[in-house]
């Protein structure tokens, strides 16, 4: 399922398989919120298809788009290391995502120096 995605292009077949074992497919409807600041990190995401808007808010409450993640894009990449999300994410379209689960990902990268 992850083969062919640019972010994982340099992984060995062994590491790709290990990553797939900790990946969950998620459907996000258009307009639905995926996470908000302060929500505990579940991991990071890759867009299989669709689009997700990642944004923050200024002190005055104005929304500031940080990223539009489209097909093949990864987002919330720092969240496994932070423990909580620091921004909002919502579906711009009906979207299928891959969630790379936080703790299992951290276990992979800390437990295998080749990873």
């Amino acid at each position: 399922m992850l083969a062919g995605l640019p972010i994982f292009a340099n992984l060995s077949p062994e590491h790709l398989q290990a990553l797939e074992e900790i990946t969950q497919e998620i459907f996000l409807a258009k307009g639905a919120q995926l996470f908000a600041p302060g929500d505990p990190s579940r991991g990071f995401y890759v867009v299989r298809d669709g689009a997700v808007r990642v944004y923050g808010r200024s002190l005055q409450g104005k929304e500031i788009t940080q990223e539009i993640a489209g097909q093949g894009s990864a987002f919330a990449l720092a969240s496994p290391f932070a423990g909580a999300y620091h921004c909002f994410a919502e579906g711009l379209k009906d979207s299928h995502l891959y969630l790379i689960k936080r703790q299992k990902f951290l276990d992979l990268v800390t437990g295998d120096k080749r990873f």
Side-chain angles (χ1 to χ4, degrees):
M1 90 178 92
L2 301 177
L5 293 171
I7 190 171
F8 305 123
N10 294 324
L11 287 180
S12 69
E14 171 191 344
H15 289 135
L16 189 61
Q17 177 63 37
L19 202 58
E20 287 187 354
E21 290 173 8
I22 63 165
T23 299
Q24 176 184 349
E25 290 188 59
I26 294 176
F27 175 77
L28 181 66
K30 178 181 179 178
Q33 188 173 60
L34 183 60
F35 55 77
D39 288 350
S41 171
R42 295 177 60 205
F44 69 92
Y45 299 84
V46 179
V47 180
R48 186 182 91 190
D49 58 69
V52 176
R53 176 178 172 235
V54 179
Y55 65 97
R57 286 205 175 113
S58 71
L59 293 175
Q60 296 76 26
K62 181 180 179 183
E63 293 182 359
I64 302 167
T65 299
Q66 298 170 348
E67 176 181 10
I68 302 294
Q71 184 175 1
S73 296
F75 64 96
L77 290 167
S79 66
F81 305 100
Y85 296 107
H86 298 284
C87 54
F88 297 89
E90 71 177 11
L92 283 178
K93 303 178 181 180
D94 287 347
S95 302
H96 288 94
L97 312 174
Y98 296 123
L99 166 63
I100 313 303
K101 295 179 182 178
R102 178 184 185 271
Q103 190 56 55
K104 292 183 180 188
F105 174 74
L106 292 174
D107 292 345
L108 274 177
V109 298
T110 58
D112 182 346
K113 64 182 176 184
R114 295 175 300 131
F115 197 91

